[in-house]
């Protein structure tokens, strides 16, 4: 079955960087757009970015554009989120998510999440 | 597109009906199939969200038929009939008509 496992979260100081990874299995990874979504404690869910199956197309929400970069390695079934210039308000649980169908925008499959804490 | 849910929280008795509302700031109708790009999720503490409903009213496989979605224009409703204890969660609507995909602020459902 579909499995998504995030890693790479942790404690980082404001202005610092982290790279999150998401290991995918149970489906043909390269066939699917993939997204990163975060859950800010006490607030809600925020979709951050998607990348097409080939990696040629990416899109970001304004709040992270220019600071975060999504990428993928289809040979390893890995999705990445490079996060630079981290801010306190980026503190959240970060999920990778796969849509129901390849290019869709509703998310049937989610990882368990990785916690990122930005604090001095 | 701004998604606004109401109420922020509600308490419903076991066996009763819960109704959660969501409004989109603009039309989210896909022209190719005339369907609305609206999904509902359930999130329990410490867990990722679970997809309940997509295309505003299509129930995801495995979701109990107590859960249903409806729509009228830019107004959307999630209805949970015969409320069970395991339904305690935060519920989110999400539009996937256009990027950035956006979620409502969430509705906390309690018994």
């Amino acid at each position: 079955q579909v499995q998504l496992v995030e890693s790479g979260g942790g404690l980082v100081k404001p202005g610092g960087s982290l790279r999150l990874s998401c290991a995918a299995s149970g489906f043909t990874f390269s066939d699917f757009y993939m997204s990163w979504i975060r859950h800010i404690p006490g607030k809600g869910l925020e979709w951050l970015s998607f990348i097409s199956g080939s990696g040629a197309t990416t899109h970001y929400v304004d709040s992270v554009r220019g600071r975060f970069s999504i990428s993928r390695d289809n040979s390893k079934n890995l999705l990445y989120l490079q996060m630079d210039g981290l801010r306190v308000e980026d503190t959240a649980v970060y999920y990778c998510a796969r849509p129901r169908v390849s290019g869709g925008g509703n998310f049937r499959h989610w990882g368990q999440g990785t916690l990122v804490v930005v604090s001095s | 597109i701004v998604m606004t849910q109401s109420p922020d929280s509600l308490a419903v008795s076991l066996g009763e009906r819960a109704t959660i509302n969501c409004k989109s700031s603009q039309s989210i109708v896909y022209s190719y199939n005339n369907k609305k790009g609206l999904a509902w999720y359930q999130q329990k503490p410490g867990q990722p969200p679970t997809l309940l409903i997509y295309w505003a009213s299509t129930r995801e496989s495995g979701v109990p038929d107590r859960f249903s979605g409806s729509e009228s224009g830019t107004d959307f409703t999630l209805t949970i009939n015969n409320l069970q204890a395991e339904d305690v969660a935060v519920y989110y609507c999400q539009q996937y008509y256009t990027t950035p995909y956006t979620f409502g602020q969430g509705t906390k459902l309690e018994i």
Side-chain angles (χ1 to χ4, degrees), chain B residues 17-30:
Chain B
R17 174 183 298 169
T19 301
I20 299 170
N21 302 298
C22 174
K23 186 177 183 65
S24 61
S25 61
Q26 65 187 72
S27 172
I28 55 174
V29 180
Y30 277 81

Side-chain angles (χ1 to χ4, degrees), chain A residues 35 37 39 43-47 50 59 61 95 100 103-108 110-112, chain B residues 39 41 43 46-51 54-55 60-61 92 94 96 99-101 103-105:
Chain A
S35 283
I37 297 167
H39 181 214
K43 295 192 177 181
L45 297 165
E46 183 180 27
W47 174 85
F50 76 56
H59 197 94
V61 69
Y95 297 102
R100 292 189 71 259
N106 54 71
F107 302 101
R108 173 68 177 86
W110 299 66
Q112 285 300 309
Chain B
Y41 299 85
Q43 187 175 29
Q47 297 184 19
T50 299
L51 178 64
Y54 58 97
W55 293 130
E60 176 59 61
S61 173
Y92 295 94
Q94 177 226 342
Y96 52 94
T99 54
Y101 302 135
F103 292 84
Q105 78 276 19

Side-chain angles (χ1 to χ4, degrees), chain B residues 11-99:
Chain B
V12 176
S13 300
L14 289 173
E16 296 299 308
R17 174 183 298 169
T19 301
I20 299 170
N21 302 298
C22 174
K23 186 177 183 65
S24 61
S25 61
Q26 65 187 72
S27 172
I28 55 174
V29 180
Y30 277 81
S31 57
Y32 82 93
N33 63 0
N34 204 35
K35 292 184 177 183
K36 295 177 182 177
L38 189 284
W40 288 98
Y41 299 85
Q42 175 193 68
Q43 187 175 29
K44 298 180 179 180
Q47 297 184 19
T50 299
L51 178 64
L52 298 173
I53 302 283
Y54 58 97
W55 293 130
S57 60
T58 301
R59 195 179 305 112
E60 176 59 61
S61 173
V63 173
D65 60 8
R66 303 183 289 104
F67 292 86
S68 63
S70 61
E71 53 87 4
S72 176
T74 58
D75 293 305
F76 303 88
T77 300
L78 175 69
T79 301
I80 310 170
N81 289 309
N82 186 21
L83 192 73
Q84 304 295 302
E86 62 263 30
D87 299 334
V88 169
V90 179
Y91 292 83
Y92 295 94
C93 62
Q94 177 226 342
Q95 68 80 18
Y96 52 94
Y97 172 72
T98 188
T99 54

